[in-house]
Amino acid sequence: NAGVTQTPKFQVLKTGQSMTLQCAQDMNHNSMYWYRQDPGMGLRLIYYSASEGTTDKGEVPNGYNVSRLNKREFSLRLESAAPSQTSVYFCASHGPQTLDSPLHFGNGTRLTVT
Amino acid sequence: KQEVTQIPAALSVPEGENLVLNCSFTDSAIYNLQWFRQDPGKGLTSLLLIQSSQREQTSGRLNASLDKSSGRSTLYIAASQPGDSATYLCAVRETGGFKTIFGAGTRLFVKA
């Protein structure tokens, strides 16, 4: 049982480059999330998808776009990377009982923008 | 705006000691509260989830309590072991939505 899988694990970008972070879950969860984690700041929600076909902004959505490709996959795209987007990005999911079930996290993508 | 604070930011204890990690939140309108463990370079693993109507949850040597009216939760770890060394994060899910707000975590080091 793989749980939540994120690719790539590491990435270095130059300012202005674009990339897509991939996330897939095999637990038949309805809701999926993208967080970023910065030192001393905890995790901050970027975007989420409450169910297949819907996406909503979180706390820090500027500079990002998302796609809920199907029930399993939720991708995060940086169209023009900036040094301020250097961070560790985590994908999470929960369900199928939605709000009263715990969040399951992937192992993260460590992104450096130079 | 919901804010979650964890004190202390770091803690070092000798093996075998019982310890308490603290979490406070500013808005009592929460759906549930979760405690997570994060090992270096890894994702978060859910330890305990307390519904807003519950007072505590237990799993093995871990016990988490919730006092929603005062905006506080504690994670009690009994008979600590070096393998407990990790960062522990507290998070609250807001009522009426899908947003979970995280604290910055407490980094725990248990000395053998």
PDB file of all heavy atoms in Angstrom, chain A residues 93-106:
ATOM      1  N   SER A  93      -3.820  13.816   1.678  1.00  0.00           N
ATOM      2  CA  SER A  93      -5.185  13.440   1.317  1.00  0.00           C
ATOM      3  C   SER A  93      -5.908  12.939   2.546  1.00  0.00           C
ATOM      4  O   SER A  93      -5.274  12.570   3.546  1.00  0.00           O
ATOM      5  CB  SER A  93      -5.184  12.342   0.236  1.00  0.00           C
ATOM      6  OG  SER A  93      -4.700  11.120   0.753  1.00  0.00           O
ATOM      7  N   HIS A  94      -7.227  12.938   2.500  1.00  0.00           N
ATOM      8  CA  HIS A  94      -8.002  12.241   3.533  1.00  0.00           C
ATOM      9  C   HIS A  94      -9.361  11.842   2.996  1.00  0.00           C
ATOM     10  O   HIS A  94      -9.833  12.360   1.999  1.00  0.00           O
ATOM     11  CB  HIS A  94      -8.127  13.055   4.805  1.00  0.00           C
ATOM     12  CG  HIS A  94      -9.067  14.208   4.708  1.00  0.00           C
ATOM     13  ND1 HIS A  94     -10.434  14.076   4.800  1.00  0.00           N
ATOM     14  CD2 HIS A  94      -8.841  15.523   4.543  1.00  0.00           C
ATOM     15  CE1 HIS A  94     -10.997  15.269   4.689  1.00  0.00           C
ATOM     16  NE2 HIS A  94     -10.055  16.159   4.538  1.00  0.00           N
ATOM     17  N   GLY A  95      -9.979  10.916   3.671  1.00  0.00           N
ATOM     18  CA  GLY A  95     -11.245  10.343   3.261  1.00  0.00           C
ATOM     19  C   GLY A  95     -11.203   8.854   3.485  1.00  0.00           C
ATOM     20  O   GLY A  95     -10.230   8.334   4.028  1.00  0.00           O
ATOM     21  N   PRO A  96     -12.189   8.097   3.103  1.00  0.00           N
ATOM     22  CA  PRO A  96     -13.397   8.588   2.441  1.00  0.00           C
ATOM     23  C   PRO A  96     -14.432   9.221   3.377  1.00  0.00           C
ATOM     24  O   PRO A  96     -15.410   9.767   2.916  1.00  0.00           O
ATOM     25  CB  PRO A  96     -13.970   7.328   1.808  1.00  0.00           C
ATOM     26  CG  PRO A  96     -13.511   6.234   2.698  1.00  0.00           C
ATOM     27  CD  PRO A  96     -12.181   6.644   3.214  1.00  0.00           C
ATOM     28  N   GLN A  97     -14.187   9.165   4.698  1.00  0.00           N
ATOM     29  CA  GLN A  97     -15.138   9.810   5.603  1.00  0.00           C
ATOM     30  C   GLN A  97     -14.843  11.294   5.738  1.00  0.00           C
ATOM     31  O   GLN A  97     -15.294  11.931   6.674  1.00  0.00           O
ATOM     32  CB  GLN A  97     -15.094   9.138   6.985  1.00  0.00           C
ATOM     33  CG  GLN A  97     -15.988   7.932   7.106  1.00  0.00           C
ATOM     34  CD  GLN A  97     -15.497   6.773   6.274  1.00  0.00           C
ATOM     35  OE1 GLN A  97     -14.321   6.479   6.264  1.00  0.00           O
ATOM     36  NE2 GLN A  97     -16.403   6.122   5.562  1.00  0.00           N
ATOM     37  N   THR A  98     -14.079  11.820   4.869  1.00  0.00           N
ATOM     38  CA  THR A  98     -13.728  13.251   4.753  1.00  0.00           C
ATOM     39  C   THR A  98     -13.305  13.865   6.072  1.00  0.00           C
ATOM     40  O   THR A  98     -12.268  13.544   6.603  1.00  0.00           O
ATOM     41  CB  THR A  98     -14.880  14.050   4.123  1.00  0.00           C
ATOM     42  OG1 THR A  98     -16.059  13.891   4.874  1.00  0.00           O
ATOM     43  CG2 THR A  98     -15.123  13.599   2.693  1.00  0.00           C
ATOM     44  N   LEU A  99     -14.080  14.772   6.644  1.00  0.00           N
ATOM     45  CA  LEU A  99     -13.566  15.668   7.665  1.00  0.00           C
ATOM     46  C   LEU A  99     -13.151  14.981   8.961  1.00  0.00           C
ATOM     47  O   LEU A  99     -12.333  15.509   9.688  1.00  0.00           O
ATOM     48  CB  LEU A  99     -14.589  16.760   7.968  1.00  0.00           C
ATOM     49  CG  LEU A  99     -14.909  17.691   6.812  1.00  0.00           C
ATOM     50  CD1 LEU A  99     -15.902  18.755   7.255  1.00  0.00           C
ATOM     51  CD2 LEU A  99     -13.654  18.345   6.257  1.00  0.00           C
ATOM     52  N   ASP A 100     -13.687  13.816   9.278  1.00  0.00           N
ATOM     53  CA  ASP A 100     -13.331  13.217  10.547  1.00  0.00           C
ATOM     54  C   ASP A 100     -12.284  12.126  10.416  1.00  0.00           C
ATOM     55  O   ASP A 100     -12.121  11.309  11.306  1.00  0.00           O
ATOM     56  CB  ASP A 100     -14.584  12.655  11.246  1.00  0.00           C
ATOM     57  CG  ASP A 100     -15.273  11.592  10.400  1.00  0.00           C
ATOM     58  OD1 ASP A 100     -14.811  11.317   9.281  1.00  0.00           O
ATOM     59  OD2 ASP A 100     -16.283  11.042  10.870  1.00  0.00           O
ATOM     60  N   SER A 101     -11.550  12.131   9.324  1.00  0.00           N
ATOM     61  CA  SER A 101     -10.462  11.164   9.153  1.00  0.00           C
ATOM     62  C   SER A 101      -9.137  11.917   9.109  1.00  0.00           C
ATOM     63  O   SER A 101      -9.087  13.094   8.748  1.00  0.00           O
ATOM     64  CB  SER A 101     -10.661  10.347   7.875  1.00  0.00           C
ATOM     65  OG  SER A 101     -10.718  11.197   6.759  1.00  0.00           O
ATOM     66  N   PRO A 102      -8.040  11.241   9.508  1.00  0.00           N
ATOM     67  CA  PRO A 102      -6.756  11.941   9.560  1.00  0.00           C
ATOM     68  C   PRO A 102      -6.178  12.213   8.176  1.00  0.00           C
ATOM     69  O   PRO A 102      -6.493  11.541   7.209  1.00  0.00           O
ATOM     70  CB  PRO A 102      -5.863  10.965  10.330  1.00  0.00           C
ATOM     71  CG  PRO A 102      -6.473   9.627  10.104  1.00  0.00           C
ATOM     72  CD  PRO A 102      -7.953   9.865  10.008  1.00  0.00           C
ATOM     73  N   LEU A 103      -5.320  13.213   8.121  1.00  0.00           N
ATOM     74  CA  LEU A 103      -4.588  13.521   6.900  1.00  0.00           C
ATOM     75  C   LEU A 103      -3.452  12.513   6.708  1.00  0.00           C
ATOM     76  O   LEU A 103      -2.770  12.161   7.669  1.00  0.00           O
ATOM     77  CB  LEU A 103      -4.001  14.929   6.967  1.00  0.00           C
ATOM     78  CG  LEU A 103      -4.941  16.092   6.717  1.00  0.00           C
ATOM     79  CD1 LEU A 103      -4.258  17.395   7.098  1.00  0.00           C
ATOM     80  CD2 LEU A 103      -5.379  16.125   5.277  1.00  0.00           C
ATOM     81  N   HIS A 104      -3.252  12.105   5.454  1.00  0.00           N
ATOM     82  CA  HIS A 104      -2.130  11.245   5.093  1.00  0.00           C
ATOM     83  C   HIS A 104      -1.208  12.049   4.190  1.00  0.00           C
ATOM     84  O   HIS A 104      -1.678  12.646   3.204  1.00  0.00           O
ATOM     85  CB  HIS A 104      -2.621   9.992   4.356  1.00  0.00           C
ATOM     86  CG  HIS A 104      -3.456   9.090   5.186  1.00  0.00           C
ATOM     87  ND1 HIS A 104      -2.966   7.949   5.787  1.00  0.00           N
ATOM     88  CD2 HIS A 104      -4.756   9.170   5.547  1.00  0.00           C
ATOM     89  CE1 HIS A 104      -3.937   7.365   6.461  1.00  0.00           C
ATOM     90  NE2 HIS A 104      -5.032   8.070   6.330  1.00  0.00           N
ATOM     91  N   PHE A 105       0.079  12.054   4.506  1.00  0.00           N
ATOM     92  CA  PHE A 105       1.036  12.876   3.772  1.00  0.00           C
ATOM     93  C   PHE A 105       1.986  12.036   2.931  1.00  0.00           C
ATOM     94  O   PHE A 105       2.345  10.910   3.296  1.00  0.00           O
ATOM     95  CB  PHE A 105       1.876  13.706   4.750  1.00  0.00           C
ATOM     96  CG  PHE A 105       1.178  14.929   5.256  1.00  0.00           C
ATOM     97  CD1 PHE A 105       0.302  14.842   6.320  1.00  0.00           C
ATOM     98  CD2 PHE A 105       1.398  16.155   4.664  1.00  0.00           C
ATOM     99  CE1 PHE A 105      -0.364  15.965   6.793  1.00  0.00           C
ATOM    100  CE2 PHE A 105       0.748  17.287   5.123  1.00  0.00           C
ATOM    101  CZ  PHE A 105      -0.126  17.200   6.186  1.00  0.00           C
ATOM    102  N   GLY A 106       2.437  12.639   1.820  1.00  0.00           N
ATOM    103  CA  GLY A 106       3.558  12.114   1.068  1.00  0.00           C
ATOM    104  C   GLY A 106       4.862  12.522   1.734  1.00  0.00           C
ATOM    105  O   GLY A 106       4.867  13.239   2.743  1.00  0.00           O
TER     106      GLY A 106
END
